Amino acid sequence: MSKKLVVLGSVNADHVLSVPRFPKPGETLVGSGYHIAYGGKGANQAVAAGRTGADIAFIACVGSDDIGARMREQFAADGIDTQAVMAIEGTTTGVAMIWVSADGENCIGISAGANAELTPARLQPHLPLIADADVLLMQLESPLSTVEAAAQTARIAGTKVILNPAPAQALPESLLRLVDVITPNETEAQALTGVVVDTEQDAQKAADVLHTYGISTVLITLGARGVWVSEQGKGELIPGFRVQALDTTAAGDTFNGALVTAELEGLPLRQAIRFAHAAAAISVTRSGAQPSIPVRSEVDAFLA
Ligand code: ATP
């Protein structure tokens, strides 16, 4: 029987505009290529896991609007079990306004919409999914009380908890103590630990702080440089692949989703990271969130 993944998290419709550079406060810039793409950190990670072949169920809330219904259909098409994707009457699906600059960086503002409705009460009927899973993957675009309730269920059931602590914020010790693997980028690592992550030594310093909460594996993603991996206080850099970046939206999400697929298939951590680097590298060569996430055959071909 294949190992099971549950992703709990957000769903957003991404309104994307390309700009030559980010506008200064008060400035108006002419952009181009406006379009709506499916996104949200939870959904992106679920899709990355689904497209790369994981046995995955998604716990999330969408609005009672057309786009929510269409996104739900697309999740199913991407191989995701959508029984716990709830359409909440009277709400709108979450929205993200994304600027993409000519050098491939992005800048994002979010309206939570239905994502704020993923309360511990709405999670309750889906707790057995978490208890039956091998891995629970979460981010921080859902109410913190729900993230913590899910992590508690996972801890009791022996389900491994992987937290991608994005967007950046400090977290209560009560939550950090329930996490087995954490995957911050540099900004998120700083928000969690107070350590400014610039050099490899800084990354290890931040990882050491996170280990004090009992988190056994710390993966600090460093964009094009790759990822700093620390286990039991010993760290190393695992470089990513060199590609021409077009749009880094969802690079971290693709990395997380693909990493879990590889882990569930039993790959050792370093090989799982290589698989995740490949999936994320493909994603940065394409624009958009979910449109940029590769399917399994593309990752296998990239690595061949
Ligand atoms: P985002 O918020 O843009 O989704 P993030 O800040 O969470 O991303 P990053 O640290 O930027 O995450 O990147 C995550 C992973 O994506 C990296 O570890 C690497 O595998 C891949 N990656 C990101 N940028 C590049 C790049 N320019 N070239 C190749 N791989 C990249």
Side-chain angles (χ1 to χ4, degrees), residues 173-192:
E173 185 171 342
S174 54
L175 173 56
L176 290 170
R177 289 209 171 275
L178 297 168
V179 173
D180 299 298
V181 179
I182 197 160
T183 62
N185 66 12
E186 294 131 301
T187 315
E188 292 142 12
Q190 181 184 346
L192 290 171

Side-chain angles (χ1 to χ4, degrees), residues 78-226:
D78 281 319
I80 296 167
D81 174 346
T82 59
Q83 63 172 297
V85 177
M86 298 164 266
I88 309 298
E89 228 14 79
T91 67
T92 53
T93 298
V95 165
M97 314 297 291
I98 302 182
W99 306 86
V100 181
S101 69
D103 58 4
E105 288 297 319
N106 61 56
C107 219
I108 306 174
I110 282 173
S111 160
N115 294 311
E117 301 296 324
L118 184 52
T119 57
R122 286 208 170 88
L123 170 66
Q124 186 74 31
H126 306 297
L127 288 176
L129 269 181
I130 294 174
D132 289 346
D134 296 281
V135 172
L136 170 67
L137 172 63
M138 299 188 288
Q139 322 73 33
L140 301 173
E141 286 182 343
S142 306
L144 218 50
S145 52
T146 306
V147 171
E148 193 160 332
Q152 269 160 1
T153 296
R155 175 56 59 94
I156 291 164
T159 303
K160 185 176 189 176
V161 176
I162 304 184
L163 181 66
N164 174 232
Q169 57 193 276
L171 286 176
E173 185 171 342
S174 54
L175 173 56
L176 290 170
R177 289 209 171 275
L178 297 168
V179 173
D180 299 298
V181 179
I182 197 160
T183 62
N185 66 12
E186 294 131 301
T187 315
E188 292 142 12
Q190 181 184 346
L192 290 171
T193 65
V195 177
V196 178
V197 177
D198 205 6
T199 64
E200 293 182 4
Q201 286 79 5
D202 300 332
Q204 188 56 49
K205 237 188 257 172
D208 287 340
V209 174
L210 293 165
H211 285 311
T212 63
Y213 297 106
I215 301 172
S216 58
T217 307
V218 177
L219 306 182
I220 302 180
T221 60
L222 304 168
R225 282 189 286 164

Side-chain angles (χ1 to χ4, degrees), residues 41 44-45 103-106 108 164 166 183-188 220-228 238-256 273-285 302:
K41 287 182 186 300
N44 296 343
Q45 294 182 18
D103 58 4
E105 288 297 319
N106 61 56
I108 306 174
N164 174 232
T183 62
N185 66 12
E186 294 131 301
T187 315
E188 292 142 12
I220 302 180
T221 60
L222 304 168
R225 282 189 286 164
V227 64
W228 185 261
I238 303 197
F241 291 96
R242 286 177 74 98
V243 290
Q244 188 70 42
L246 174 72
D247 173 6
T248 61
T249 307
D253 295 334
T254 305
F255 179 89
N256 277 277
I273 289 172
R274 188 166 173 270
F275 182 84
H277 273 330
I282 295 170
S283 80
V284 304
T285 65
F302 185 94

